[in-house]
Amino acid sequence: FAYSRLQPGKHIPLHEHWNPHLVAILCLQNGGGSHIIVDGQRRDFHDGEILVFDYTLPHESTNEGEDERLVLL
């Protein structure tokens, strides 16, 4: 398990990984407006919800909210 924090107004640039596995992300705090784009498809973070995606697909994340985004990977 790992935590990922993203401050308000910040962006994790488009990237991909070579590890062939799925990633499950549990949103602990969405920051008021954060999302991830996976292979061109936007998925908004909502507190308490889990997102699952193929880690090898290109992905990026943005926090457009006013609070920190906190997720558990």
Side-chain angles (χ1 to χ4, degrees):
F1 295 100
Y3 287 98
S4 175
R5 300 166 57 183
L6 190 59
Q7 297 300 316
K10 298 298 181 180
H11 173 78
I12 298 172
L14 185 66
H15 65 284
E16 56 192 89
H17 303 272
W18 300 107
N19 302 335
H21 61 271
L22 295 176
V23 170
I25 301 174
L26 170 61
C27 181
L28 302 174
Q29 177 177 303
N30 76 4
S34 60
H35 65 273
I36 188 168
I37 297 175
V38 178
D39 200 28
Q41 181 180 14
R42 179 181 166 141
R43 301 176 191 185
D44 293 327
F45 286 109
H46 299 285
D47 292 355
E49 290 188 2
I50 296 174
L51 299 174
V52 179
F53 69 95
D54 179 341
Y55 207 43
T56 64
L57 295 175
H59 54 281
E60 62 185 301
S61 189
T62 303
N63 183 356
E64 297 172 337
E66 296 183 12
D67 296 311
E68 178 181 70
R69 184 218 66 196
L70 179 62
V71 296
L72 177 64
L73 303 170

